[in-house]
Amino acid sequence: MLPTSKVGAGGATFLEALFTATSAVCVTGLIVVDTPVYWTGGGHAIILALIQLGGFGIMSFASLLGLLLARRMGLRSRVSAAAETRSVGFGDVRNVLLGVLRITLVVEFVTAVVLAVRFALRYGYSPAEAVWLGVFHSVSAFNNAGFALFSDNLIGYVGDPWICLPVCAAVIIGGLGFPVLFELRRHVRYPRRWHTTTKLVLGGTVILLVVGTVFITAVEWSNPATLGALRPEDRLLAGFFQSTMTRTAGFNSVDFAQLNPVTLLAMDVLMFIGGGPAGTAGGLKITTFGVLFFILYTEISGGTAVNVFGKRLPRSTHRQAISIVLLAVGLVITATMFLMLTTDFGLDRVLFEVVSAFATVGLSTGITAAIPPAGQVVLILVMFAGRLGPVTLASALALRSKPLYFEYPKERPLIG
């Protein structure tokens, strides 16, 4: 809210500052003001710092959560977990934090260098400007934030692979999650040693990226307001870029207000699923939906135990996944209904906005600033719930298990 953070006289209003700060700390990317025009260089630096702290803090908390749970386990459970992962666990707090920091700095540095060189050589920015643009968009991409220093986000670079692909790579790496990255570093050549989490995240990421790219490109191929006016190779690049951004990063290289409603609905699903756990991505996480998929497959195929990649899932995992999804659906529906009552926007746009906020994606059809203050407060709460809710709920469920000394008699209600 400081006057030095805002262009022109006076400072930002409380709600503008709160919304922007929340979006940055929750690495979402939704905005109620034009980031490059409204904020000064100092304001941009504050946003960048909040993105970095929010991403690193969340990643550290989620990774260290495994340590907390492991320490609450008995010796036999810890030995079994170590044998299953072919390691001694996540390591101590210091090693985990240093590992997170190393990966963060390396990915952000490499991405920033590529972007800075491209901005300087291709678009004529001065070295200082190119470096700042490279650093800002690199940090924003790796932390899956989606803040950009261009009023049209990255629409002006829709056909430039040297801008789009490095951003996509940073988004994907950040969205895999650090447990997955740590295991790949140790056992990248030995897939059989990978933990079930790693297999679910990698397989799910590839499937969702491919399916999302094919669907978005096919539906928008002839839309002159999005992909239709581009060269064929640029359409493929733009389709892949938008699909990648649904991994919970809010960059866009086409005008989302012009997308087909069917495309928006498909993106709702992709955003809701999100990325990998214990990383910078949001959503309900690929592992959660992977567990639900295998539960469904087991029920349809007549199985008695849910098995994933040769391992049996405990029933507590079933309950956690179902509980998180039901609570998330309830939150999204409630927020959507509230916004529909307080705005004149249609269901497709409102639902897209709410899912984007809950999954901490930051993609928008351009209605965020037009939503009344009460609706913006709801989006702030949804962003917090989306970033903290699933992880907090999962840990609470894991830590609140109680021994049962009796069970009620069984009775089966009619289902379906």
Side-chain angles (χ1 to χ4, degrees):
M1 295 177 64
L2 295 174
T4 55
S5 299
K6 175 182 172 293
V7 175
T13 65
F14 174 75
L15 185 57
E16 290 170 344
L18 176 62
F19 194 99
T20 303
T22 303
S23 184
V25 171
C26 293
V27 291
T28 303
L30 287 176
I31 56 174
V32 291
V33 294
D34 190 354
T35 301
V37 175
Y38 191 83
W39 305 108
T40 63
H44 295 156
I46 293 173
I47 292 173
L48 184 66
L50 292 176
I51 292 172
Q52 188 71 84
L53 290 174
F56 183 81
I58 293 163
M59 294 182 297
S60 301
F61 171 77
S63 297
L64 294 177
L65 193 60
L67 289 175
L68 173 63
L69 296 178
R71 288 176 179 175
R72 303 292 289 265
M73 292 178 176
L75 178 61
R76 179 180 299 176
S77 298
R78 280 184 283 176
V79 170
S80 299
E84 182 181 18
T85 59
R86 303 296 194 272
S87 66
V88 294
F90 287 110
D92 58 27
V93 175
R94 180 175 178 273
N95 288 337
V96 170
L97 287 175
L98 289 177
V100 170
L101 181 61
R102 273 194 297 268
I103 294 176
T104 300
L105 294 179
V106 168
V107 175
E108 290 179 352
F109 176 78
V110 173
T111 307
V113 169
V114 176
L115 293 178
V117 171
R118 186 62 172 175
F119 282 128
L121 298 182
R122 176 65 177 83
Y123 298 99
Y125 287 98
S126 68
E129 291 175 327
V131 169
W132 173 240
L133 289 174
V135 170
F136 188 96
H137 292 93
S138 172
V139 173
S140 184
F142 178 73
N143 289 284
N144 281 218
F147 279 91
L149 294 181
F150 305 102
S151 295
D152 61 353
N153 207 276
L154 296 181
I155 293 179
Y157 305 96
V158 61
D160 190 341
W162 290 99
I163 298 293
C164 293
L165 293 182
V167 170
C168 287
V171 168
I172 294 171
I173 294 173
L176 289 177
F178 282 88
V180 174
L181 294 177
F182 290 156
E183 187 161 62
L184 289 178
R185 185 177 60 181
R186 294 194 302 266
H187 306 303
V188 66
R189 297 183 179 180
Y190 307 99
R192 291 186 177 181
R193 298 184 181 181
W194 291 353
H195 190 270
T196 302
T197 297
T198 302
K199 295 177 181 178
L200 284 173
V201 171
L202 292 179
T205 298
V206 172
I207 292 173
L208 292 175
L209 283 175
V210 172
V211 172
T213 300
V214 172
F215 185 88
I216 293 171
T217 304
V219 175
E220 298 295 327
W221 186 268
S222 301
N223 185 349
T226 55
L227 304 187
L230 304 176
R231 297 176 301 175
E233 59 270 24
D234 293 341
R235 297 183 197 183
L236 294 176
L237 176 62
F240 174 72
F241 188 86
Q242 312 324 310
S243 176
T244 302
M245 294 309 116
T246 61
R247 318 308 311 133
T248 79
F251 293 108
N252 63 284
S253 62
V254 298
D255 185 359
F256 271 50
Q258 306 300 324
L259 289 175
N260 190 301
V262 176
T263 304
L264 293 178
L265 183 59
M267 287 183 167
D268 288 338
V269 176
L270 294 173
M271 292 190 298
F272 196 64
I273 296 175
T280 60
L284 291 183
K285 306 298 185 290
I286 293 174
T287 47
T288 303
F289 275 83
V291 168
L292 292 179
F293 170 80
F294 282 103
I295 291 176
L296 177 63
Y297 175 79
T298 301
E299 187 66 25
I300 292 176
S301 62
T304 57
V306 180
N307 300 313
V308 181
F309 302 123
K311 300 294 178 64
R312 180 171 58 86
L313 295 181
R315 294 190 180 275
S316 60
T317 302
H318 309 180
R319 296 194 301 269
Q320 290 173 17
I322 294 172
S323 300
I324 292 172
V325 171
L326 289 178
L327 286 174
V329 170
L331 176 62
V332 168
I333 292 176
T334 302
T336 300
M337 293 173 65
F338 180 85
L339 291 183
M340 290 188 69
L341 290 173
T342 56
T343 67
D344 297 327
F345 300 110
L347 173 61
D348 53 348
R349 287 195 169 194
V350 171
L351 179 62
F352 189 87
E353 198 81 9
V354 172
V355 173
S356 180
F358 173 76
T360 67
V361 180
L363 294 174
S364 175
T365 58
I367 68 172
T368 314
I371 293 176
Q376 293 179 4
V377 171
V378 169
L379 289 180
I380 289 174
L381 297 176
V382 171
M383 284 190 284
F384 267 118
R387 175 52 73 180
L388 301 179
V391 174
T392 304
L393 177 61
S395 62
L397 292 173
L399 295 174
R400 288 180 56 194
S401 58
K402 299 177 181 179
L404 295 177
Y405 300 102
F406 67 92
E407 290 185 349
Y408 291 105
K410 291 183 179 180
E411 184 171 337
R412 181 185 294 274
L414 296 177
I415 301 297

